[in-house]
Amino acid sequence: MRQSCLVVHVLALIGLLAGSCPLHAEAGVAAAPPLGVSIDDFSYVDTSGEVIDQTAAHQKRLDAFMAALRADIAAEPRYRLVAPPAPKGEAQIRVVGGVQKMSTLIQWAKVAVIDVGASRVLYEKLYTFRGDNDEAWDHARMFVSREVRAVLAAALPTAQAAAVAPIGLAVFAFELEDNSAAPSSGLASSDAATLADVTQGVRDRLAQSGRYRLVDTGGAMAEPVKARALRDCDGCEAAIAQKLGADQSLIGVIRRVSRTEYTVGFQVRDARSGAVVSRGDSGLRMGADYSWTRGAVHLVGDRLLADGAQQ
């Protein structure tokens, strides 16, 4: 029952903060800013039953604990300390907690780290530490600080990715280069349907990443687009993408070597300069046309998304 005082108080804070409205990245942010971190003043509860009133001493030690914990976070340039109560949108991460004195020698500390934007508890732990003097409190602070900073470091890549505005990407329809037979007068209907699946699969994968904002290419009327010959237009897709309002362009090619062998390739260009910012080629793969989509989605995910190529 004694534990309930501390746990209920901290859980109430967690529920309140994790249920707050998600944050939204502002459009046009070119680089990820430091991670905004707010550390609420921890509560303190004394249920030890000691006769001597130590309220003033406890408050002094708690204040020193909070000041040192905040100084630890502020000392790292990748974090930006936001004073509580944090204005809406200022803090991406909030740290809440409380301390409860159980007896003359035993104290508990409940600490939680909350991703405000995702409304998610990243970390929650109940610590036990012995002693009620300056040395014991400082030892507890060092231990808590180390673990909280480890959680912040793990959350940093995701939070910074969310702070960067998504790139406007024009994903043009994948094209077929068929080396398995004599050239035909046009694209077979079965191949056209499969290529449509490939294009949609790649677009879905990129949209789900959150890194890209897909730009509609339906209004592109340039001849290389209609002829499905962007691969041979010497980078003209970049200018077409710019007219559509995109930051970058992506073209993809399925090269059919035989009825059971193929390769996948893609190329991303900067829409303004036309410079190639990313490309990938799968090498020879085995499988009939039904496996093209899987191969293309895997290649784009592995080369474009996993490698972090953006500009």
Side-chain angles (χ1 to χ4, degrees):
M1 288 297 293
R2 284 183 170 185
Q3 182 181 354
S4 63
C5 296
L6 175 62
V7 173
V8 169
H9 180 80
V10 177
L11 287 179
L13 283 172
I14 294 171
L16 177 62
L17 297 177
S20 60
C21 296
L23 305 180
H24 298 281
E26 294 183 5
V29 179
L35 184 66
V37 180
S38 177
I39 304 176
D40 287 15
D41 288 326
F42 287 11
S43 62
Y44 190 87
V45 180
D46 187 349
T47 57
S48 65
E50 292 179 309
V51 176
I52 300 175
D53 184 357
Q54 301 183 73
T55 302
H58 289 154
Q59 188 60 52
K60 181 179 178 180
R61 289 181 178 131
L62 181 61
D63 290 345
F65 180 99
M66 299 308 304
L69 178 59
R70 289 176 178 130
D72 289 344
I73 304 300
E76 300 193 32
R78 54 185 174 173
Y79 307 128
R80 176 177 57 86
L81 195 63
V82 181
K88 184 177 180 181
E90 285 294 310
Q92 295 156 280
I93 302 291
R94 295 191 74 172
V95 180
V96 299
V99 179
Q100 181 174 2
K101 185 172 183 178
M102 304 300 300
S103 65
T104 302
L105 294 177
I106 302 298
Q107 300 198 76
W108 287 344
K110 184 80 169 183
V111 180
V113 180
I114 300 166
D115 183 333
V116 181
S119 299
R120 181 167 61 96
V121 178
L122 300 176
Y123 175 82
E124 183 181 0
K125 188 172 182 178
L126 180 65
Y127 300 89
T128 301
F129 64 99
R130 296 178 62 84
D132 188 11
N133 53 38
D134 293 346
E135 183 180 359
W137 276 81
D138 192 49
H139 180 76
R141 187 270 308 167
M142 288 190 291
F143 191 81
V144 170
S145 174
R146 183 170 63 247
E147 296 207 347
V148 167
R149 282 180 287 136
V151 176
L152 294 178
L156 193 62
T158 301
Q160 288 186 330
V164 179
I167 298 169
L169 181 65
V171 180
F172 293 99
F174 269 63
E175 301 173 0
L176 177 63
E177 188 175 296
D178 193 350
N179 298 316
S180 66
S184 60
S185 58
L187 190 65
S189 59
S190 59
D191 289 337
T194 305
L195 288 173
D197 289 339
V198 173
T199 304
Q200 191 58 52
V202 169
R203 285 172 175 165
D204 290 344
R205 179 68 181 89
L206 292 170
Q208 290 166 6
S209 73
R211 183 180 298 171
Y212 296 99
R213 170 181 55 83
L214 297 189
V215 175
D216 185 13
T217 60
M221 303 305 295
E223 187 58 33
V225 177
K226 294 189 292 183
R228 291 178 177 265
L230 287 171
R231 65 188 184 277
D232 297 324
C233 75
D234 196 25
C236 72
E237 71 273 10
I240 298 172
Q242 185 179 27
K243 290 180 180 179
L244 295 172
D247 303 309
Q248 295 179 358
S249 64
L250 183 149
I251 60 171
V253 181
I254 303 291
R255 298 180 181 89
R256 181 157 56 195
V257 179
S258 70
R259 288 296 167 178
T260 57
E261 296 176 315
Y262 71 98
T263 68
V264 183
F266 76 86
Q267 186 167 268
V268 178
R269 290 182 183 270
D270 179 81
R272 290 185 178 180
S273 67
V276 175
V277 296
S278 181
R279 59 160 55 97
D281 196 291
S282 69
L284 189 65
R285 300 178 69 92
M286 300 297 292
D289 54 4
Y290 56 78
S291 64
W292 293 355
T293 299
R294 182 174 65 250
V297 171
H298 176 79
L299 177 66
V300 168
D302 184 56
R303 298 292 177 84
L304 185 58
L305 297 179
D307 288 350
Q310 292 190 32
Q311 274 108 16

